[in-house]
């Protein structure tokens, strides 16, 4: 599928479906190449059923079918990230490439809301 990401990494755990917004895979691949370090995904594509099962946001950009945003597929990933230097490097590069960034204690959420939804690029923190 992509040079640095397997089907199983991108697929919904419930349905095994991979449906990426047009160009999203290429943007993810570009981020990985420029980072020059592995990117381990905790979450990528989600079916509506799986998203509900994990209490995901009802209009999550991880959704393969989104009733609010006509993205054509998933345009978000969650990256396993606990090391401070790795997190800083990933966040800085993602922001340079117009990704929106959500920071949690053990992962970084990345999405392309500005490309697919016409929303502004944002940085936010997952509170407790």
């Amino acid at each position: 599928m992509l040079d640095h990401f397997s089907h199983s990494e991108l697929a919904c755990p419930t349905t095994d479906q991979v449906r990426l917004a047009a160009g999203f895979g290429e943007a993810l691949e570009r981020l990985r190449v420029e980072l020059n370090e592995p990117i381990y995904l905790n979450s990528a594509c989600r079916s509506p059923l799986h998203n509900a099962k994990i209490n995901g946001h009802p209009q999550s950009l991880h959704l393969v079918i989104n009733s609010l945003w006509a993205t054509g597929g998933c345009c978000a990933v969650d990256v396993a990230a606990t090391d401070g230097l790795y997190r800083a490097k990933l966040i800085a590069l993602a922001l340079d490439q117009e990704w929106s960034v959500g920071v949690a204690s053990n992962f970084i959420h990345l999405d392309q809301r500005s490309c697919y939804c016409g929303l502004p690029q944002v940085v936010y923190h997952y509170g407790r």
Side-chain angles (χ1 to χ4, degrees):
M1 178 170 267
L2 301 173
D3 289 342
H4 293 94
F5 301 95
S6 68
H7 176 90
S8 62
E9 287 177 286
L10 296 167
C12 172
T14 303
T15 64
D16 197 43
Q17 181 181 19
V18 174
R19 184 174 178 194
L20 303 176
F24 181 74
E26 291 81 357
L28 184 60
E29 187 68 27
R30 187 169 45 258
L31 180 67
R32 164 57 181 87
V33 167
E34 290 189 31
L35 184 66
N36 198 30
E37 292 188 48
I39 291 179
Y40 299 107
L41 302 180
N42 288 340
S43 182
C45 294
R46 298 179 189 166
S47 69
L49 175 67
H50 181 74
N51 194 57
K53 184 172 145 181
I54 64 167
N55 296 317
H57 189 281
Q59 300 302 333
S60 172
L61 295 176
H62 288 273
L63 287 166
V64 294
I65 300 168
N66 193 313
S67 60
L68 178 61
W69 305 109
T71 59
C74 170
C75 62
V77 294
D78 293 340
V79 178
T82 55
D83 176 77
L85 291 176
Y86 177 83
R87 289 164 65 92
K89 185 176 175 183
L90 176 63
I91 291 167
L93 185 58
L95 290 172
D96 284 347
Q97 293 184 14
E98 299 184 26
W99 292 80
S100 285
V101 176
V103 180
S105 61
N106 61 346
F107 72 92
I108 303 294
H109 169 90
L110 302 172
D111 71 58
Q112 296 230 301
R113 67 185 68 199
S114 59
C115 297
Y116 296 98
C117 306
L119 297 170
Q121 181 185 30
V122 297
V123 177
Y124 62 92
H125 183 266
Y126 286 88
R128 290 187 182 252

